[in-house]
């Protein structure tokens, strides 16, 4: 294929030796562009992929002079192989690990009793969060916020108790042959990052840069002194902040270019994408491909239904199964099964180890929290679903899921749909509009509140997963929102930033 003007601008900047940040909108051929850059030079390069599947696919597209691996693969070759015995160790309950670290009794913080099991889970989650950062040591910043302990003072008390045990756990993980804490892949990646590694290469390509967590960002940026750095991603798809991902493109010191021509969909869908890009104040606007006639309108039988939450996905699965459809769920049903089992435990009067529900002693207390505490509103759909159908019906539904290749309809959260596309997509109804503000319009109706940037980015991801037809469904409220008007400038392409 002949490169577009934008792809040629990227090639020229790369050939000139510039460090390069390439904003690439949905369907604009970002990996293809990186491969074009690599094929145009005889220099040795490395391509850092977001996951193993992307790395494997990239190997068939890049020249032999470019090594395509994940950051974890590089870390394993450098230090991870020393921990093979621990990586293959059997799983053990968190409370056993906690007991080995010295967590032998419960503590009370505020009005909550934190069991040995809860404390042990919090310690292991603290270590996991630390491993995603560029920080040199574990501090209270890494301690997770627990449901029911949202108050800053209460969280500080929790952190004071957790941090010493988390540091002890991290010290345990430094031993290659044996230890109390189960060793996983993020541990050796962090251990490698703390050595300030040098990657031997002439240029380094970072794909899906918008989802790079700080530990990988640090490794990447530290190569600037000896390697040309090229990152490509879409700042408007930064939707994993809760996983400690951040947009490394925003402050990158280098030439900033863009790919705005989408080959996935046509002009009408590009307009819809631009509506959300404008709301999110994203640095790019898309142009659709005229020869791809993407439509917007109702769908009776979509190929995929995209949901805002796991609970929304659970509801969609049950609704579709009731019609006799063969249904698949992207990522499988483990997360839904875990939620249903946690709800079942609470309804039976038992505590659960599920991290979202771990502090609730009973289903009644969870119901009260979801109904009356502002921090618990997002749990109300789960409560409603369980109270309506019961946990047994949910578990039966999850057991009926089939592999995607056998399904008539695929259900996914918008988060898990990233990087995917389908011919016909429907947006589920759990993408709720923002709450009304205190202001009234000329007719006396309440003016809708502002749309959160993160919600606008998630909507952008959702609407750009389709090729042929989009049923905007649960996002149709945007038509009546003051921010929903499509400014004429949004129809323009990207180009230089």
């Amino acid at each position: 294929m002949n490169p577009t003007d934008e792809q040629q601008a990227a090639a020229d900047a790369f050939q000139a030796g510039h460090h390069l940040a390439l904003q690439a909108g949905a369907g604009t051929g970002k990996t293809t562009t990186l491969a074009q850059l690599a094929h145009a030079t005889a220099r040795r390069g490395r391509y850092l992929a977001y996951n193993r599947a992307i790395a494997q696919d990239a190997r068939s597209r890049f020249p032999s002079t470019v090594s395509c691996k994940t950051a974890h693969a590089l870390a394993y070759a450098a230090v991870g192989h020393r921990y093979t015995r621990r990586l293959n160790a059997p799983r053990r309950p968190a409370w056993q690990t906690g007991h080995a670290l010295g967590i032998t009794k419960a503590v009370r913080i505020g009005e909550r009793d934190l069991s040995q099991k809860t404390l042990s889970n919090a310690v292991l989650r603290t270590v996991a969060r630390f491993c995603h950062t560029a920080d040199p040591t574990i501090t209270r910043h890494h301690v997770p916020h627990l449901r029911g302990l949202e108050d800053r003072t209460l969280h500080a008390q929790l952190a004071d108790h957790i941090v010493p045990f988390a540091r002890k756990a991290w010290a345990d993980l430094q031993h290659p042959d044996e230890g109390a804490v189960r060793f996983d892949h993020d541990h050796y990646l962090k251990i490698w990052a703390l050595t300030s590694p040098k990657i031997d290469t002439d240029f380094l390509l970072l794909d899906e840069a918008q989802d790079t967590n700080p530990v990988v960002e640090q490794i990447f940026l530290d190569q600037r002194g000896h390697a040309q750095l090229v990152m490509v991603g879409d700042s408007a798809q930064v939707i994993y902040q809760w996983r400690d991902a951040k947009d490394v493109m925003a402050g990158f010191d280098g030439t900033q270019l863009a790919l705005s021509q989408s080959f996935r969909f046509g002009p009408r869908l590009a307009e819809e994408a631009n509506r959300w890009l404008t709301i999110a104040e994203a640095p790019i606007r898309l142009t659709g491909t005229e020869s791809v006639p993407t439509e917007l309108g109702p769908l009776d039988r979509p190929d995929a239904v995209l949901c805002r939450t796991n609970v929304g996905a659970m509801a969609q699965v049950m609704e579709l199964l009731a019609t006799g459809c063969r249904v698949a769920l992207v990522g499988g049903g483990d997360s839904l099964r875990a939620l249903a089992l946690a709800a079942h435990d609470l309804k039976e009067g038992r505590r659960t180890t599920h991290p979202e529900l771990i502090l609730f002693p009973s289903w009644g207390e969870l119901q009260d929290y979801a109904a009356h505490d502002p921090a618990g509103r997002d749990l109300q759909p789960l409560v409603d679903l369980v109270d309506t159908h019961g946990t047994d019906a949910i578990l039966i539904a999850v057991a009926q899921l089939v592999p995607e290749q056998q399904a008539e309809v695929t259900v996914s959260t918008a988060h898990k749909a990233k990087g995917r596309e389908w011919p016909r997509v429907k947006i589920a109804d759990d993408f709720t509009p923002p709450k009304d503000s205190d202001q009234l319009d000329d007719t006396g109706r309440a003016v809708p509140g502002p749309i959160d940037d993160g919600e606008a980015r998630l909507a952008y991801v959702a609407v750009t997963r389709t090729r042929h037809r989009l049923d905007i469904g649960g996002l149709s409220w945007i038509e009546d929102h003051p921010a929903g008007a499509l400014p004429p400038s949004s129809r323009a392409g990207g180009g230089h930033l």
Side-chain angles (χ1 to χ4, degrees):
M1 292 176 60
N2 293 325
T4 65
D5 290 345
E6 292 173 327
Q7 289 172 328
Q8 188 60 53
D12 293 343
F14 179 70
Q15 290 291 347
H18 297 166
H19 298 301
L20 180 60
L22 195 58
Q23 287 282 355
T28 57
K30 56 185 176 58
T31 307
T32 298
T33 302
L34 288 181
Q36 289 173 348
L37 303 185
H39 278 286
T41 180
R43 294 181 297 154
R44 294 176 308 114
R46 287 186 182 268
Y47 168 88
L48 274 185
Y50 184 65
N51 58 40
R52 187 186 304 175
I54 293 173
Q56 290 175 337
D57 177 66
R59 289 183 192 117
S60 65
R61 305 171 69 174
F62 282 83
S64 59
T65 51
V66 175
S67 171
C68 302
K69 293 185 177 181
T70 63
H72 284 88
L74 294 178
Y76 184 83
V79 301
H81 64 277
R82 302 174 196 160
Y83 297 85
T84 303
R85 284 181 61 184
R86 291 193 67 173
L87 277 167
N88 295 326
R91 293 184 179 274
R92 63 189 304 189
W95 69 265
Q96 286 186 5
T97 301
H99 192 273
L101 293 171
I103 302 174
T104 57
K105 60 182 180 180
V107 299
R108 186 171 182 83
I109 296 178
E111 299 179 357
R112 300 284 180 182
D113 290 315
L114 277 65
S115 67
Q116 180 190 349
K117 187 181 295 185
T118 298
L119 294 170
S120 300
N121 273 304
V123 166
L124 296 181
R125 289 174 65 195
T126 298
V127 173
R129 285 164 62 94
F130 164 67
C131 287
H132 294 159
T133 72
D135 301 332
T137 58
I138 294 175
T139 68
R140 63 172 52 188
H141 163 72
H142 304 111
V143 178
H145 289 262
L146 299 184
R147 295 271 191 184
L149 292 180
E150 291 87 358
D151 179 81
R152 184 177 299 179
T153 301
L154 296 179
H155 182 262
Q157 293 177 32
L158 173 68
D160 288 342
H161 190 80
I162 293 296
V163 167
F165 290 111
R167 289 176 176 170
K168 190 174 181 180
W170 182 243
D172 174 276
L173 289 164
Q174 307 310 301
H175 302 292
D177 295 322
E178 59 184 23
V181 184
R182 189 168 191 269
F183 197 94
D184 70 29
H185 299 281
D186 281 349
H187 294 146
Y188 66 71
L189 176 62
K190 181 62 176 178
I191 290 170
W192 181 55
L194 288 172
T195 68
S196 300
K198 179 180 178 181
I199 300 174
D200 183 23
T201 188
D202 296 324
F203 61 89
L204 189 59
L205 309 174
L206 178 64
D207 206 350
E208 300 290 355
Q210 78 281 346
D211 287 331
T212 301
N213 60 29
V215 68
V216 176
E217 175 192 7
Q218 178 192 38
I219 294 167
F220 178 77
L221 295 178
D222 282 353
Q223 314 309 311
R224 177 182 286 269
H226 68 277
Q228 182 183 7
L229 304 183
V230 178
M231 59 169 61
V232 62
D234 186 351
S235 290
Q237 293 193 45
V238 178
I239 58 174
Y240 283 121
Q241 294 97 323
W242 45 269
R243 192 188 284 176
D244 295 319
K246 56 176 278 192
D247 181 15
V248 307
M249 305 187 73
F252 182 66
D253 181 14
T255 301
Q256 301 271 341
L257 297 175
L259 300 177
S260 64
Q261 173 71 53
S262 180
F263 304 101
R264 179 181 299 161
F265 43 73
R268 180 65 189 90
L269 200 284
E271 288 182 5
E272 184 60 38
N274 287 339
R275 187 206 313 254
W276 297 103
L277 289 170
T278 301
I279 294 168
E281 298 183 350
I284 196 172
R285 301 293 181 269
L286 297 180
T287 301
T289 297
E290 293 285 350
S291 59
V292 181
T294 312
E295 302 173 338
L296 271 73
L299 280 169
D300 291 329
R301 189 55 66 91
D303 299 295
V305 179
L306 304 187
C307 307
R308 173 67 183 82
T309 63
N310 280 322
V311 176
M314 190 186 294
Q316 282 294 322
V317 165
M318 296 184 71
E319 187 176 315
L320 288 164
L321 286 172
T323 67
C325 263
R326 294 191 305 276
V327 183
L329 182 69
V330 172
D334 287 349
S335 60
L336 301 190
R337 186 181 297 108
L339 268 175
L341 289 172
H344 179 76
D345 284 344
L346 290 177
K347 287 177 75 70
E348 292 293 312
R350 297 188 298 268
R351 283 186 178 269
T352 175
T353 58
H354 194 288
E356 281 292 288
L357 309 178
I358 198 167
L359 288 187
F360 299 100
S362 68
W363 183 250
E365 187 158 336
L366 175 60
Q367 287 174 313
D368 185 67
Y369 176 80
H372 303 296
D373 193 315
R377 285 197 188 115
D378 61 317
L379 291 176
Q380 190 62 54
L382 171 65
V383 171
D384 292 342
L385 192 71
V386 171
D387 286 344
T388 301
H389 298 283
T391 54
D392 288 345
I394 295 170
L395 291 168
I396 290 170
V398 171
Q400 292 179 268
L401 293 168
V402 300
E404 283 191 59
Q405 57 269 30
Q406 299 174 18
E408 295 171 273
V409 182
T410 296
V411 175
S412 177
T413 63
H415 286 94
K416 290 179 181 175
K418 275 189 64 172
R420 302 287 304 273
E421 58 181 69
W422 292 271
R424 299 170 301 171
V425 172
K426 181 175 182 176
I427 307 299
D429 58 9
D430 63 336
F431 284 83
T432 54
K435 294 187 179 301
D436 289 340
S437 68
D438 295 332
Q439 297 178 311
L440 302 178
D441 62 17
D442 295 339
T443 66
R445 292 189 305 174
V447 175
I451 299 170
D452 177 76
D453 285 356
E455 294 300 314
R457 290 193 295 268
L458 191 62
Y460 160 68
V461 169
V463 302
T464 54
R465 298 307 96 197
T466 191
R467 294 194 300 270
H468 301 322
R469 189 175 181 90
L470 172 71
D471 182 342
I472 198 169
L475 286 169
S476 59
W477 52 262
I478 190 62
E479 303 290 349
D480 299 318
H481 195 281
L486 189 65
S489 60
S490 70
R491 299 168 188 267
H496 293 254
L497 299 180

